[in-house]
Amino acid sequence: MAANKSSKSTSASANHGFAHTQEQFQQLIEDTLHLARKLGATDAAAEVSEGMGLSVSVRKQKLENVERNRDKSIGVSVYIGQRRGNASTSDFSPAALEQTVRAAYDIARYTAEDPAAGLPEVEDLALGRAARKDLDLFHPWHIDAGDAAELARRCEAAALGVDRRITNSEGASVSAQQSHFFAGNTRGFRGGYASSRHSLSVSPIAGRGNDMQRDFWYSSERSAKDLSKPEAIGRYAAERALARLKARKIATCEVPVLFESPLAAGLLGAYVQATSGGALYRKATFLHDSLGQQVLPTHINIVEDPHILKGKGSAPFDDEGVVTRKRKVVKNGVVQGYFLSSYSARKLGMQTTGHAGGSQNLVLQSRLTNPKDNLKAMLKKLHCGLFVTELMGQGVNYVTGDYSRGAAGYWVENGEIVFPVEEITIASNLKNMFQQIVAVGADEYTYGSKTVGSILIEDMKIAGH
């Protein structure tokens, strides 16, 4: 459970290996803010955090790496009017805290005034119960290196055992991570909680010589109990690698393109990037001034719910302590709201949306989607074109929207996969791609904090041979 409330936070710290309790963290915040005020700061904000974890990897059934991580830090932002300074330290001693606060104060003294600088307005902050909202984000995994290695071996063995054509492996890994933090500012915000994130992954290699293909699969959850079985992950990763054997190039053409759901989440990420405060106030986005404009087809909605229990993007407040809220980001293709921190909101003459730190549990949906629209049904809708399962490179220009990525996947005819494809480039413009979303599958996949099914784009250029 999320360790927000005092009774929970104490036990979370005491029983799960953390070196500090939430109460100790809260005292550090109070001390830091007091030091800032004492120096003459008009406002200040501070956050203290601690993280720890275990990562284990195996390759060809042999233990390859065991890594334990433990880190801690405290950061402070000091404001002198509209001048701001930041400093941080991993030393929690009183002398180090005083030195860090003074460093932030001195930076603020010699920094130019910024009219947009400052803490969030009090009415936007998560105060009282809103800051203590329990979202069930903390599920520590008490696994030792030996057991983690065994899980990784099981995952890799399942992949290697699928077919004799699985000839090698880049390995399998297990990661168990947990952390907690506490934050506060001089306008009354106080809040913090513990969270966890665990994962299991494998990367098998199929084929020999000039016809070798690699693929991977993984599972990542707040709770280890929710992870997919290691054997299921291994088998699926192997099947993906095998399906890519005997891949070929295709001739240059212009055809419909179906993005596999994990890659479709990247398209949703591109939308977030293009409608985020920093890009908007710098006018470094092709979706500048898009509020109230139709940028997606009328059948598309994007909703955001920061309060989903165990959600990978869940948070009761953002990185500034601003309360988070469920909302419709896009309704019937029309932009309803941006992704703004208090700073970017001031730069735009708007109000913060509680997105210092990014989006929270976004879901892209189509009103045309049928519950039976699985991947097989989406291939039928594609009919003839390209089904993309891997993207390479960073060929996205957010200023113009130009999109060009190396790709691999499968050529589809009459709704059926005909052969695997590699060494091609797909290109278009994101503005056009968003407008040309023909269908969204019911094969929803959650990648980080974004959930979406496979996405069918009406038309893209394919550069082949």
Side-chain angles (χ1 to χ4, degrees), residues 32 40 42 45 52 61 144 245 364 406 420:
T32 302
T42 52
M52 56 182 288
Q61 297 296 285
D144 61 28
L245 288 173
L364 186 148

Side-chain angles (χ1 to χ4, degrees), residues 344-357:
S344 60
R346 288 186 189 117
K347 294 286 279 187
L348 292 164
M350 303 177 80
Q351 185 177 4
T352 176
T353 57
H355 288 94

Side-chain angles (χ1 to χ4, degrees), residues 31-44 76 78 101 105:
D31 293 345
T32 302
L33 297 178
H34 175 72
L35 286 167
R37 283 290 205 196
K38 191 175 171 184
L39 281 174
T42 52
D43 261 324
V76 58
V78 167
V101 175
Y105 181 80

Side-chain angles (χ1 to χ4, degrees), residues 121-182:
E121 303 303 322
V122 173
E123 57 266 27
D124 293 324
L125 293 170
L127 303 174
R129 290 177 63 186
R132 297 191 298 271
K133 195 174 183 72
D134 187 346
L135 299 176
D136 198 20
L137 306 180
F138 186 51
H139 296 265
W141 190 7
H142 302 296
I143 188 168
D144 61 28
D147 288 341
E150 183 56 31
L151 269 181
R153 286 192 188 97
R154 282 169 55 193
C155 188
E156 187 186 49
L160 294 168
V162 165
D163 191 289
R164 284 184 299 176
R165 291 173 296 166
I166 299 293
T167 54
N168 209 334
S169 166
E170 289 187 353
S173 62
V174 169
S175 174
Q177 301 291 327
Q178 62 188 58
S179 62
H180 71 132
F181 77 96
F182 197 86

Side-chain angles (χ1 to χ4, degrees), residues 270-277 279-281 283 285-296 329-331 333-340 348 350 398 431 434-435:
Y271 174 83
V272 174
Q273 169 74 18
T275 53
S276 288
L280 291 164
Y281 76 72
K283 298 189 178 180
T285 168
F286 65 98
L287 290 181
H288 182 64
D289 283 337
S290 57
L291 193 65
Q293 301 297 310
Q294 178 126 16
V295 302
L296 291 155
V329 179
V330 171
K331 182 179 180 182
V334 177
V335 179
Q336 305 294 304
Y338 293 145
F339 297 86
L340 308 177
L348 292 164
M350 303 177 80
Y398 287 101
K431 203 164 192 175
F434 289 159
Q435 290 282 5

Side-chain angles (χ1 to χ4, degrees), residues 102-124:
R102 183 169 289 280
Y105 181 80
D106 287 341
I107 292 168
R109 284 171 58 204
Y110 296 105
T111 299
E113 284 199 0
D114 184 342
L119 295 179
E121 303 303 322
V122 173
E123 57 266 27
D124 293 324

